[in-house]
Amino acid sequence: MTDTPGPGLWNRLRGGRIAGVLGVYAAFAFGVLQVIDLLADNLGLPTWVFPAALVLLVLGVPIIVSTALVQMAATARAAGRSPRHWLTWRRALLGGTAAFTALGLSTGGYLALRAAGIGPFGSLVAKGDLEASDRILVADFQSATGDSVLASVVTEAFRIDLAQSTIVRTADRAVIHEALVRMERDPAGALTPDLARELAQREGIPAVLTGEIGNAGPSFLLAVRLVSAEDGRDMAAFRETAADSTDLLRAVDRLSRKMRERIGESLRTIHRSEPLAQVTTASLPALRKYTQAVHALESEANADRGIALLEEALRFDTAFAMAWRKLGVALGNAAEAGDRRVEAVTRAWNHRDRLTLRERYMTEGTYHFAMGDTHAAIRAYESLLAEWPADHQALNNLALAYGELRDYVKEEELLRRALEANPNSALHYMNLAEIQVVLGRYDEAAATLRTGIERLPQASLRTPLADLALARGDWERADSILHVLLAERRSDLRFQAQINRRFEQLASVRGRLAEADRYEAETARLNRQLGRTGRIVGSAADRAAVDVRLLGDTAGARRRIEAALARDPLEALPPLERPYLDVAWGYATAGLPRRARSYLDEYETLVEEGLRDRPYVHAVRAAIAIAEGRPTEAIEEAKRSDSGSCEVCATADIARAWDAAGQTDSAIVAYERYFATHDLYRIFTDRFERGPALQRLAELYEAKGDTRSAALRYAELLELWNEADPVLQPRVAEIRRRLARLTAERG
């Protein structure tokens, strides 16, 4: 006898009946697996249901083949003369039905016990050990491998994956930092299990997740425990083995899924979370760099180091979607909003299929906002918040998107929710204070910033405090704050450039133009060290506008712009870092509309529509129209520029256009709106608009015979320019004479 099938059997297998039966069975099996996969996605079936069904279907193959062979043999014999074999189609069908019925009953029983909190399958939420929306504190994993960085990477990986949960929250790093400071413990030290339990008890956090990592040869052994913060009892514990370092992240993902399931998260939601290795990166070195970058950006507020570390991570894994997104955000926060930022968010968008549902929504929102599609960004963030309503980053970003639509009430509501979700984010305090200023509530904005400074003394919240003083016209207080800030961070070139820029703006608005030139030169020196030559040219164009508005010196303004362009030609810069609009606006303001139009045309040729600063484009067109003597067109273009989150940016242009058209009443209304508009960063326009707008508004009132209003505006201008440079003193003297005459006329 041989163990190989003979020719007769082979022929029968190929003969058509067996092939047909197997074909029907294969189609049935495929349909069953598709249905189970669909139910797993939509109902959240346990992960073992699909492989169990697959095993049953595979076991059915020999039964189907054997039954077919027996039935074929029985048919080949004389009918009725051979005993019937126990392998019949009826029994095969009944057996398959019984097997899948048992699988269905097992699945239903598991889900029922889990939901009811009964037995070993019961979830912690169902049992009452945890409440929905409770926080969990993730302690630093303990490592027996001798590699502390590996332990921190695994800790961060587990924290990232657990953060995908829709039922519990991980305690924010800022909360941990603040609690450790109050405990008089080193915030930079290891968060050991014992320390984590003590911290959790202080903060009212009910559970602590601890972990250990060891190795056995090339394999890694991972263990996690969820313990009660109050008494230290084990609430859940799981183990996993990673074959080697490349399997480590997948092992973390398997552990986190088990833990999320035991806590009581919807199985459907868990299934919708992509594996952590795909969410973050399959490269452990890349994840190491990413972890260090997050710490540098969020804990140290070191943008340069964080950006450099993210770029290192991307050299290990060029498809690292979340690193690209984080890089885009970091570049934007550092005001590096050029080609690199757009490339980063685009690369994140292109790799968004690697992300979890939560991070995919965040990436989509970031991308759409960066590309100018505010409504699409809102849809992405609202989809995220429908699943994770306490996500403070999504709340913050959604608030800013509504700010672009000027729905300030909605923006404030979302920012308050973001601050409630994470009261240790400096960004939330800053953004909330900004919208409170927009709503005219300066004292509330000051209180918000003071609260943030008290909670986060190392954060840069005194810079917006200086901006608040500038917005209120409290020049002396702003000057005092800025001098303290300038002395504190001498080694931070970006910060020094930012503060020197504020000093230049403050000097310009007060008519101290020689002082403004000194600060502009220092800002340019710092920006050159930082490689930001585009900013140098843009600042020169802005400074040229001061020459025109305050001195009427159009020739000097042209020379200033041309000298900047000669030093730093725009062609040497990436397209999105070229300050085309600044240069075009500067030339139009200086009375060179044809040259302004050439730079505007080049900008619109090189920059795709979604990336264009649309309000600024219309502002440039309005300035060109005024320079060309077309006030009606200037009015329409200035009105079109009045969009986005900056209301103060367009109002002076609108007033100037109405004035050029001879519409005095409309010009007065627009000028008054300029002074009534609240903006935390209005110094950016006040530096070249405030003084000239006060004078022109006073002149318009005087021409209408409204001597009281004219006198008030003249007096305000004299106070603003009370220490102006000698070059402005003839203008100041004329204003003083006018005010004296008006005062005498009024008696």
Side-chain angles (χ1 to χ4, degrees):
M1 296 209 32
T2 175
D3 291 330
T4 357
L9 176 60
W10 176 249
N11 288 332
R12 275 181 284 171
L13 287 172
R14 298 198 319 169
R17 297 183 64 186
I18 292 294
V21 169
L22 288 175
V24 171
Y25 184 74
F28 167 76
F30 178 77
V32 168
L33 293 176
Q34 288 297 308
V35 169
I36 291 175
D37 188 50
L38 182 65
L39 292 175
D41 283 340
N42 291 279
L43 299 181
L45 299 181
T47 54
W48 49 263
V49 174
F50 188 90
L54 184 60
V55 168
L56 290 177
L57 290 168
V58 170
L59 291 175
V61 172
I63 296 174
I64 291 294
V65 172
S66 300
T67 302
L69 289 173
V70 168
Q71 295 302 313
M72 287 171 63
T75 303
R77 297 187 184 96
R81 284 198 265 181
S82 293
R84 294 176 63 90
H85 199 281
W86 66 272
L87 282 173
T88 65
W89 288 120
R90 182 172 181 275
R91 287 174 176 165
L93 182 60
L94 288 174
T97 302
F100 276 95
T101 300
L103 177 61
L105 291 173
S106 299
T107 304
Y110 173 88
L111 293 174
L113 291 173
R114 180 178 184 272
I118 299 171
F121 305 130
S123 71
L124 298 178
V125 170
K127 291 179 178 179
D129 290 340
L130 287 175
E131 296 290 335
S133 79
D134 269 347
R135 288 182 297 169
I136 291 178
L137 179 61
V138 180
D140 290 339
F141 275 51
Q142 306 297 296
S143 175
T145 65
D147 188 344
S148 60
V149 176
L150 178 64
S152 67
V153 167
V154 172
T155 304
E156 182 63 21
F158 205 100
R159 184 179 285 114
I160 290 171
D161 207 23
L162 194 59
Q164 307 305 317
S165 174
T166 59
I167 196 166
V168 294
R169 297 176 292 149
T170 54
D172 191 89
R173 290 188 190 86
V175 173
I176 298 170
H177 183 280
E178 182 190 0
L180 289 171
V181 169
R182 284 189 276 103
M183 293 166 67
E184 299 185 348
R185 305 294 289 267
D186 181 8
L191 187 62
T192 64
D194 289 341
L195 179 58
R197 271 193 60 204
E198 181 184 348
L199 188 153
Q201 291 176 33
R202 286 170 171 260
E203 298 300 306
I205 299 172
V208 174
L209 188 136
T210 66
E212 298 176 359
I213 178 171
N215 55 1
S219 300
F220 291 91
L221 306 176
L222 293 171
V224 293
R225 295 166 58 228
L226 188 68
V227 301
S228 167
E230 186 63 33
D231 54 22
R233 64 182 173 84
D234 281 357
M235 303 168 73
F238 300 99
R239 292 180 180 273
E240 277 287 344
T241 300
D244 51 33
S245 62
T246 63
D247 188 43
L248 195 55
L249 297 180
R250 286 185 286 273
V252 171
D253 176 67
R254 294 191 295 271
L255 275 177
S256 68
R257 284 173 178 253
K258 290 178 181 178
M259 186 61 72
R260 288 164 64 182
E261 182 177 344
R262 178 56 57 85
I263 289 170
E265 185 175 352
S266 162
L267 295 172
R268 177 186 177 188
T269 306
I270 296 173
H271 294 329
R272 291 171 73 185
S273 297
E274 301 284 337
L276 180 63
Q278 294 179 351
V279 172
T280 309
T281 175
S283 166
L284 191 57
L287 186 57
R288 290 177 192 263
K289 295 298 182 182
Y290 179 85
T291 304
Q292 294 167 5
V294 170
H295 180 76
L297 291 167
E298 297 183 4
S299 299
E300 300 174 3
N302 189 331
D304 290 336
R305 183 165 182 268
I307 290 169
L309 285 165
L310 287 169
E311 289 173 336
E312 287 184 47
L314 289 163
R315 281 195 285 273
F316 286 109
D317 180 3
T318 58
F320 191 169
M322 287 312 294
W324 281 117
R325 180 193 170 278
K326 194 72 174 176
L327 178 61
V329 172
L331 290 170
N333 289 341
E336 300 289 349
D339 291 72
R340 290 174 67 205
R341 174 173 175 255
V342 171
E343 180 196 6
V345 297
T346 302
R347 295 287 288 270
W349 168 265
N350 291 339
H351 295 300
R352 65 191 182 280
D353 290 342
R354 294 166 59 96
L355 305 179
T356 62
L357 182 65
R358 187 179 199 172
E359 291 173 317
R360 191 180 307 136
Y361 283 140
M362 185 67 77
T363 297
E364 289 173 358
T366 301
Y367 174 80
H368 289 309
F369 198 67
M371 303 302 283
D373 193 341
T374 303
H375 292 284
I378 287 173
R379 288 194 296 272
Y381 292 131
E382 288 182 338
S383 295
L384 190 156
L385 289 167
E387 297 281 353
W388 295 275
D391 189 303
H392 67 96
Q393 291 178 327
L395 288 165
N396 178 83
N397 294 354
L398 180 60
L400 298 183
Y402 273 109
E404 281 294 305
L405 302 180
R406 297 187 176 178
D407 188 343
Y408 302 129
V409 173
K410 182 72 171 178
E411 183 178 8
E412 183 186 23
E413 174 206 336
L414 290 165
L415 287 171
R416 288 190 181 280
R417 285 173 56 191
L419 194 57
E420 181 181 350
N422 181 13
N424 294 281
S425 168
L427 186 65
H428 299 340
Y429 288 102
M430 193 181 306
N431 289 338
L432 180 58
E434 182 178 353
I435 194 60
Q436 287 170 333
V437 169
V438 169
L439 294 170
R441 303 204 297 265
Y442 290 89
D443 290 341
E444 283 186 37
T448 295
L449 291 172
R450 283 194 295 269
T451 300
I453 291 169
E454 290 172 5
R455 293 183 69 95
L456 306 167
Q458 301 305 313
S460 300
L461 286 173
R462 283 180 296 166
T463 304
L465 205 59
D467 289 324
L468 180 61
L470 291 170
R472 301 181 88 160
D474 191 344
W475 316 121
E476 298 303 330
R477 175 165 172 73
D479 184 80
S480 174
I481 296 172
L482 290 171
H483 271 100
V484 171
L485 293 172
L486 195 66
E488 283 183 348
R489 294 167 61 177
R490 291 289 183 187
S491 60
D492 189 335
L493 297 185
R494 290 179 189 273
F495 187 75
Q496 290 286 306
Q498 178 187 0
I499 299 304
N500 273 279
R501 181 76 164 143
R502 292 294 196 282
F503 272 123
E504 183 236 315
Q505 294 161 346
L506 175 58
S508 294
V509 76
R510 303 177 78 182
R512 301 176 181 180
L513 304 185
E515 184 181 337
D517 282 336
R518 289 195 299 273
Y519 281 118
E520 188 203 6
E522 176 62 11
T523 305
R525 184 187 70 79
L526 292 166
N527 278 329
R528 195 168 298 283
Q529 284 186 256
L530 292 165
R532 303 192 300 193
T533 54
R535 293 194 178 200
I536 299 173
V537 177
S539 295
D542 286 344
R543 181 63 184 80
V546 175
D547 289 336
V548 175
R549 296 279 192 263
L550 272 67
L551 303 176
D553 185 4
T554 56
R558 297 169 189 173
R559 288 193 299 271
R560 192 182 291 273
I561 298 172
E562 287 162 1
L565 290 171
R567 274 193 311 270
D568 299 294
L570 299 192
E571 296 75 18
L573 297 171
L576 293 181
E577 294 181 15
R578 300 174 189 175
Y580 283 119
L581 296 181
D582 291 330
V583 173
W585 188 80
Y587 271 133
T589 302
L592 294 174
R594 183 176 299 176
R595 201 169 297 178
R597 192 177 296 280
S598 70
Y599 281 96
L600 176 59
D601 290 344
E602 190 168 349
Y603 172 80
E604 293 184 316
T605 299
L606 291 178
V607 179
E608 61 181 274
E609 186 173 355
L611 295 174
R612 295 175 194 163
D613 187 339
R614 288 185 288 269
Y616 202 175
V617 167
H618 290 297
V620 171
R621 289 176 179 166
I624 291 172
I626 286 178
E628 293 177 340
R630 293 180 286 107
T632 302
E633 183 179 334
I635 292 168
E636 295 306 313
E637 290 293 348
K639 287 180 178 178
R640 291 190 187 101
S641 75
D642 191 12
S643 62
S645 60
C646 181
E647 287 197 52
V648 76
C649 295
T651 48
D653 289 335
I654 294 171
R656 207 164 14 254
W658 281 117
D659 199 5
Q663 301 292 323
T664 301
D665 291 339
S666 296
I668 288 174
V669 170
Y671 275 124
E672 289 290 1
R673 181 190 163 200
Y674 176 79
F675 293 110
T677 300
H678 308 289
D679 193 292
L680 184 61
Y681 304 107
R682 65 172 298 142
I683 190 64
F684 285 79
T685 55
D686 272 349
R687 68 184 185 272
F688 46 72
E689 298 287 13
R690 190 177 189 88
L694 282 170
Q695 181 171 357
R696 185 56 186 153
L697 181 57
E699 290 169 351
L700 292 173
Y701 276 130
E702 187 177 3
K704 284 177 64 67
D706 187 346
T707 56
R708 180 179 180 279
S709 297
L712 288 173
R713 292 305 184 183
Y714 280 136
E716 191 176 343
L717 179 56
L718 287 176
E719 184 179 356
L720 179 67
W721 284 353
N722 67 337
E723 295 180 1
D725 283 359
V727 69
L728 276 174
Q729 286 307 316
R731 192 168 175 178
V732 171
E734 173 60 24
I735 293 165
R736 189 174 285 113
R737 284 193 295 272
R738 289 192 174 200
L739 178 59
R741 186 182 69 252
L742 291 173
T743 303
E745 289 176 359
R746 294 179 62 216

